[in-house]
Amino acid sequence: MMMNGKTFVVIVALVVLSHYHPYDGFVGLSGVMAASSCASPTYRDTYPSSGPSYPQPPTVQMPSGDQSVPSFSNPLTQNHWSEVANIGSYRPTIDYRGQPYVHSSCPHTQSGLVNWHDPATWTSTTTVLAGNLPANGANVILPEGASVLVSSCSIDPSFVFGLITIPTTSKLIIGDANINISASGFDVRGSLLAGSSSCRLGNKVTITLVGARAAQALPAPGHVKGISVTGTIDLHGAKYSPTWTRLAMTANIGDRYIYIQDKVNWQAGQRIVITTTELKDSRDWHRNEERTIVNVLLTSLGGSGTMVTAIQVDT
C-alpha cells in the first residue's frame, strides 16, 4: 500500500552495510585450521583500470494503457504550496548517471599488503592462531605492523568470528569484491579501510555484527555487536545521488510507478522508503512504507513535455 505524501525518501547504504543478527554463541576453536577458497596463498583479485559505470536510465513513454500513468485529468502538479512538485527549480542535483565509478589510488592495490588467506600472515601473531588461518568462532588479532588484505575468497561467508582487533600499527583492508565478514564486533585501534575518496568500491561488502541482545546491556564495551574506533575507519562505496527526493505526483494505493522530481542513479534491487503524511510518526506507530526498485525510467507525463523520473516498485 502506498500512502499519499509529499516526501519520498530513499535509504541507500554505501557498499558497506552494518546490521545485527541475534546469536547466542560461537562455534569452532581458535587453533583449528581454517581453509579459504582461494586458489593459492598468493591469490589476489584482479581489478580493472577503471570501475564500472552507473546505469543510465532509458527514456521511455509510459504505456498509455497502464493504470499508473497519469492522464490529463490528473496532471503533473507543479509549483504547489505543498511542495508536492516544483519541477526544474527545486534544487540542483549531481548527475552520476552513466559516469564511471572513480577508481584510482586504491588501498587494496597498494604495495606491501599481506593476504588474510595466507597462513604466513599469521605466523607472527600473538594469538593462538599462529600459523593457521582464523577459524570460525575465533577471536582475531591482526599481526602488528601488517596491512592485511581481504579478497573475495579470503573468508568463508558462513564463518562468524568473535572480536576482530586491529592493533594501532595495523590495517585491515577490504578489496573491491563481493565480501561478507561476520563477527561479534570490531576493535579498530589501527585502520579499517574499504576504498577511498578516489576509489569508490563497485561491489557489495557486507559486515554483519552478531550477538545476543543481552550482550549489549550497559556497561558493555563499544565493540560488543559494534565497531569501536579509536583509530581510523574509512569506507567508500558507490555514490548514489540524491539520497532523497520529493514526489512529482501523489502516490496512490496500488500504483506500480511513483514519479519523483530528481534525476537519480538508483538501481533495481535497492530498497526505498516512502514516508508518511500522518501527524504521528514513531517507531511503534507509523505508515512509512518500504519497497524494492524494479526499474528506473525517464518519462514525459501528461503531454506536458516535462521529463521526470519514474520508479517502478514491487507491489
Side-chain angles (χ1 to χ4, degrees):
M1 177 184 299
M2 291 187 181
M3 306 304 299
N4 295 348
K6 303 174 186 176
T7 305
F8 175 77
V9 178
V10 62
I11 298 176
V12 179
L14 297 181
V15 172
V16 178
L17 309 175
S18 297
H19 50 279
Y20 300 125
H21 283 185
Y23 194 82
D24 291 327
F26 297 104
V27 293
L29 299 175
S30 298
V32 176
M33 185 68 168
S36 76
S37 60
C38 297
S40 72
T42 59
Y43 173 86
R44 295 277 175 91
D45 293 324
T46 57
Y47 305 104
S49 57
S50 62
S53 296
Y54 291 99
Q56 178 73 42
T59 302
V60 301
Q61 182 61 45
M62 306 299 292
S64 58
D66 192 316
Q67 64 176 352
S68 299
V69 178
S71 65
F72 289 107
S73 62
N74 185 23
L76 185 70
T77 303
Q78 299 189 60
N79 303 316
H80 191 268
W81 65 268
S82 66
E83 295 187 320
V84 169
N86 190 2
I87 302 300
S89 61
Y90 171 57
R91 61 175 176 155
T93 182
I94 302 173
D95 190 357
Y96 290 100
R97 299 170 308 152
Q99 296 183 17
Y101 298 141
V102 177
H103 213 262
S104 63
S105 302
C106 303
H108 52 270
T109 59
Q110 67 186 32
S111 61
L113 304 183
V114 296
N115 294 326
W116 177 291
H117 55 272
D118 185 355
T121 297
W122 306 98
T123 55
S124 62
T125 185
T126 58
T127 73
V128 293
L129 293 169
N132 292 335
L133 298 182
N136 188 18
N139 291 322
V140 181
I141 302 177
L142 267 62
E144 296 280 352
S147 296
V148 180
L149 173 66
V150 177
S151 299
S152 60
C153 57
S154 295
I155 297 175
D156 187 325
S158 68
F159 278 17
V160 179
F161 297 114
L163 176 63
I164 297 178
T165 301
I166 305 173
T168 304
T169 59
S170 302
K171 299 177 182 178
L172 179 60
I173 299 172
I174 300 173
D176 192 356
N178 292 324
I179 294 172
N180 291 273
I181 306 175
S182 297
S184 66
F186 288 75
D187 186 3
V188 182
R189 305 172 189 176
S191 299
L192 174 59
L193 308 176
S196 68
S197 59
S198 63
C199 179
R200 295 191 171 277
L201 302 190
N203 290 284
K204 183 178 180 180
V205 174
T206 302
I207 297 176
T208 305
L209 303 172
V210 180
R213 184 178 297 275
Q216 288 186 296
L218 297 177
H223 56 69
V224 175
K225 288 179 62 177
I227 301 178
S228 173
V229 182
T230 54
T232 300
I233 182 169
D234 199 17
L235 312 175
H236 297 264
K239 182 175 272 188
Y240 295 101
S241 178
T243 56
W244 69 275
T245 185
R246 285 188 167 92
L247 292 173
M249 180 168 288
T250 296
N252 295 305
I253 296 172
D255 284 353
R256 294 192 300 113
Y257 295 90
I258 55 176
Y259 300 90
I260 61 173
Q261 297 183 33
D262 291 303
K263 297 176 181 179
V264 297
N265 63 351
W266 305 345
Q267 300 184 27
Q270 291 178 328
R271 302 284 287 175
I272 57 178
V273 173
I274 304 153
T275 62
T276 184
T277 56
E278 295 285 349
L279 292 177
K280 181 177 181 181
D281 183 19
S282 63
R283 182 188 296 269
D284 60 346
W285 196 98
H286 66 84
R287 291 187 177 179
N288 302 318
E289 300 187 23
E290 189 174 350
R291 289 289 182 267
T292 299
I293 296 174
V294 176
N295 203 358
V296 180
L297 305 168
L298 292 178
T299 186
S300 177
L301 296 182
S304 66
T306 301
M307 298 301 296
V308 298
T309 303
I311 305 293
Q312 183 181 359
V313 296
D314 62 340
T315 55

